[in-house]
């Protein structure tokens, strides 16, 4: 699950499965077919995957509308049934059930909302999305509201990317290869397209159903953070591919919550698992930067070196905290899920031998932050 060759094999299997799934569909228009085949031609697994998800969603919302049409009265549970099915079918990252939870149980409002979802899914089948196709960094999308808040209403203006920022992003990828060769190989394997975005309080993000597509706010991040963003979103693609391949989670209680050191709030075990995976790769990145014999050939400064040491310590402490919760709840994961947790736990434990040495090299201000972090986590653990 973690060697480069095994991951290449899993990715190829996933690509073949998308093609096979498409070949089994019936009643596909020629326009719809051309869109899917264009994504395939461009080797955009994210485009292929999202097209198939949109087709499934279109059928789902059409069934809901037909069921609504057969009912003389809504009954108490009709909307609740749709929300439950959305969660069960499309998982925790499905956001539309949040809209449905907020609307009144009025027949006309439910019908218009379902039609909006249906039309949105149908539109994805007949229009190419440039976010999924190969391109350059000449422009970026400036969102009026953060995508996490706006849902379907993704209003944005297209703006020209400053030349300096384009060069910085290209340099970030070059420096990743200089500082961490294995990490760069993983980046090349999983990240197929980077889209530049900008919005208030927006860092970077990706979606479960858009394999290989990363959205980065390269305009408001410093150089070290930009390299971190490349690896962070890439690790999401890595984990999402494993989840598509293997059964990772058993049936879980959605209401059961665990403290997240990163969010400083309570999250599901699913979210904690994702956080530990991605931030372990962040921890590895900062460790590699701090110890890289090629550091002098990179664009990073001695300030970045000290910052990398601090970030390694910070991520290691938070990962260690949440790994306790993951290991104590091993019954919530399959054999494959626990193998991933053991791998993450092993790396974090092995890296602890370097903690004291790295701690000595960071600034006094960062030492204070580390002490406060430990104090906060000890409080919650107790």
């Amino acid at each position: 699950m973690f060697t480069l060759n095994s991951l290449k094999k899993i990715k190829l299997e996933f690509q073949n499965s998308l093609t096979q799934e498409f070949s089994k569909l019936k009643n596909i228009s020629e326009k719809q077919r051309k869109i899917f085949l264009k994504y395939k031609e461009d080797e955009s697994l994210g485009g292929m995957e999202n097209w198939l998800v949109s087709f499934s969603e279109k059928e789902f919302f059409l069934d809901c509308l037909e069921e609504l049409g057969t009912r003389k009265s809504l009954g108490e549970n009709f909307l609740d049934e749709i929300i439950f099915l959305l969660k069960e079918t499309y998982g925790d990252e499905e956001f539309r059930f949040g809209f449905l939870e907020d609307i009144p149980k009025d027949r006309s409002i439910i019908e218009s909302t379902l039609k909006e979802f249906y039309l949105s899914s149908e539109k994805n089948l007949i229009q190419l999305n440039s976010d999924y196709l190969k391109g350059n960094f000449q422009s970026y999308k400036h969102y009026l509201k953060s995508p996490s808040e706006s849902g379907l209403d993704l209003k944005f203006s297209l703006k020209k990317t400053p030349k300096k920022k384009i060069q910085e992003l290209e340099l970030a990828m070059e420096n990743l290869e200089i500082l961490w060769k294995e990490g760069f190989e993983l980046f090349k394997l999983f990240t197929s397209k980077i889209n530049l975005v900008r919005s208030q309080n927006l860092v970077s993000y990706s979606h479960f159903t858009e394999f290989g597509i990363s959205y980065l706010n390269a305009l408001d991040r410093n150089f070290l953070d930009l390299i971190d963003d490349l690896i962070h979103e890439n690790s999401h693609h890595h984990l999402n591919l494993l989840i598509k391949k293997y059964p990772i989670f058993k049936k879980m209680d959605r209401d059961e919550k665990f403290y997240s050191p990163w969010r400083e709030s309570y999250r599901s075990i699913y979210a904690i698992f994702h956080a530990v995976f991605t931030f372990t790769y962040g921890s590895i990145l900062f460790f590699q930067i701090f110890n890289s014999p090629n550091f002098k050939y990179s664009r990073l400064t001695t300030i970045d070196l000290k910052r990398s040491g601090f970030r390694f310590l910070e991520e290691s402490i938070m990962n260690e905290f949440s790994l306790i919760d993951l290991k104590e709840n091993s019954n919530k994961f399959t054999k494959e899920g626990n193998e991933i947790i053991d791998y993450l736990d092993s790396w974090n434990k092995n890296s602890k031998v370097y903690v004291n040495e790295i701690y000595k090299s960071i600034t006094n201000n960062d030492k204070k932050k580390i002490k406060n972090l430990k104090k906060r986590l000890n409080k919650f653990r107790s």
Side-chain angles (χ1 to χ4, degrees):
M1 283 190 282
F2 292 95
T3 66
L4 195 61
N5 285 336
S6 65
L7 290 168
K8 285 180 179 178
K9 183 181 177 182
I10 295 171
K11 181 184 173 183
L12 181 60
E13 290 173 353
F14 176 54
Q15 182 176 349
N16 292 336
S17 71
L18 294 175
T19 302
Q20 290 172 6
E21 185 178 346
F22 176 77
S23 67
K24 294 176 182 177
L25 297 179
K26 298 178 180 179
N27 301 321
I28 304 296
S29 71
E30 189 58 29
K31 193 171 185 179
Q32 292 171 341
R33 185 183 303 278
K34 284 182 178 179
I35 298 298
F36 181 87
L37 293 179
K38 175 57 180 175
Y39 291 138
K40 183 180 179 181
E41 178 189 337
D42 216 51
E43 297 180 346
S44 173
L45 273 62
M48 295 165 67
E49 181 180 23
N50 192 262
W51 190 98
L52 289 165
V53 170
S54 295
F55 185 88
S56 172
E57 290 173 343
K58 178 187 76 99
E59 297 294 300
F60 175 86
F61 292 120
L62 181 61
D63 288 343
C64 291
L65 285 165
E66 289 177 351
E67 176 65 22
L68 180 63
T70 63
R71 296 199 178 195
K72 293 182 179 179
S73 62
L74 284 178
E76 285 292 321
N77 301 320
F78 179 73
L79 192 56
D80 294 334
E81 289 170 11
I82 295 176
I83 293 169
F84 173 80
L85 286 172
L86 266 178
K87 290 180 179 180
E88 289 297 304
T89 306
Y90 299 105
D92 285 350
E93 294 199 5
E94 167 59 50
F95 63 87
R96 273 164 292 206
F97 65 76
F99 283 86
L100 294 173
E101 287 175 335
D102 292 337
I103 66 173
K105 293 185 177 181
D106 176 85
R107 188 185 193 95
S108 62
I109 295 176
I110 293 173
E111 184 177 13
S112 64
T113 304
L114 291 174
K115 280 183 178 178
E116 181 184 2
F117 293 162
Y118 169 81
L119 292 172
S120 175
S121 298
E122 187 177 50
K123 182 180 177 182
N124 291 336
L125 302 178
I126 58 175
Q127 289 188 7
L128 278 173
N129 187 335
S130 61
D131 286 349
Y132 305 152
L133 300 173
K134 292 174 184 175
N136 52 44
F137 307 123
Q138 298 300 319
S139 62
Y140 69 93
K141 291 180 179 178
H142 189 104
Y143 290 106
L144 301 181
K145 290 193 294 184
S146 172
S148 62
E149 301 173 1
S150 55
L152 291 175
D153 189 24
L154 287 172
K155 293 180 179 178
F156 64 88
S157 58
L158 203 61
K159 298 193 175 184
K160 186 177 180 179
T161 309
K163 188 176 180 180
K164 181 181 177 181
K165 285 297 177 181
I166 297 175
Q167 293 171 338
E168 196 170 66
L169 181 57
E170 292 170 344
L171 273 172
M173 290 183 274
E174 290 176 14
N175 277 244
L176 176 59
E177 183 175 16
I178 292 170
L179 296 162
W180 184 23
K181 181 71 174 177
E182 294 80 3
F184 181 71
E185 291 299 323
L186 290 174
F187 171 76
K188 284 199 302 180
L189 180 63
F190 295 129
T191 300
S192 58
K193 176 74 186 295
I194 294 173
N195 295 300
L196 300 186
V197 293
R198 196 177 198 181
S199 184
Q200 187 176 4
N201 301 322
L202 182 65
V203 180
S204 66
Y205 64 94
S206 54
H207 297 297
F208 181 75
T209 56
E210 295 180 0
F211 177 79
I213 313 297
S214 296
Y215 299 85
L216 265 61
N217 180 2
L219 288 89
D220 300 326
R221 304 285 280 170
N222 66 41
F223 193 63
L224 179 62
D225 288 338
L226 189 51
I227 297 174
D228 178 30
D229 290 342
L230 294 175
I231 285 297
H232 182 82
E233 295 311 324
N234 193 70
S235 62
H236 276 296
H237 303 321
H238 183 164
L239 178 56
N240 288 339
L241 182 66
L242 295 181
I243 292 175
K244 295 172 200 297
K245 168 69 176 178
Y246 300 106
I248 302 295
F249 306 97
K250 292 181 180 177
K251 191 73 175 178
M252 294 185 189
D253 182 356
R254 294 181 182 275
D255 295 325
E256 189 176 19
K257 302 295 181 183
F258 299 82
Y259 181 73
S260 167
W262 299 275
R263 296 290 187 100
E264 297 188 38
S265 61
Y266 288 89
R267 307 275 286 166
S268 69
I269 198 73
Y270 175 90
I272 298 296
F273 179 80
H274 269 262
V276 172
F277 189 98
T278 55
F279 287 110
T280 293
Y281 271 90
S283 179
I284 297 172
L285 168 67
F286 292 120
F287 179 81
Q288 294 293 333
I289 291 174
F290 189 86
N291 291 281
S292 175
N294 297 324
F295 184 84
K296 59 185 176 182
Y297 302 115
S298 74
R299 190 191 164 188
L300 296 175
T301 66
T302 52
I303 294 175
D304 293 322
L305 187 67
K306 290 180 181 293
R307 183 67 179 167
S308 296
F310 166 72
R311 289 297 307 277
F312 162 74
L313 294 172
E314 184 181 46
E315 299 300 359
S316 296
I317 292 167
M318 291 192 283
N319 282 324
E320 183 180 18
F321 177 91
S322 288
L323 275 162
I324 294 173
D325 290 327
L326 294 181
K327 293 184 75 66
E328 287 183 352
N329 289 273
S330 60
N331 62 316
K332 293 179 171 63
F333 297 91
T334 62
K335 177 175 74 72
E336 291 82 3
N338 280 303
E339 284 178 8
I340 294 174
I341 293 170
D342 289 340
Y343 174 85
L344 302 175
D345 188 50
S346 176
W347 195 91
N348 279 281
K349 282 180 177 176
N350 291 338
S351 68
K352 286 185 73 174
V353 298
Y354 302 97
V355 165
N356 290 335
E357 175 191 347
I358 294 177
Y359 182 80
K360 293 176 185 176
S361 70
I362 65 177
T363 66
N364 288 331
N365 187 46
D366 283 341
K367 286 177 182 176
K368 184 177 179 181
K369 290 178 182 177
I370 292 296
K371 288 179 181 178
N372 288 337
L373 173 62
K374 287 182 176 179
K375 185 177 179 180
R376 170 166 65 89
L377 296 185
N378 286 336
K379 176 184 175 182
F380 276 94
R381 183 58 69 197
S382 64

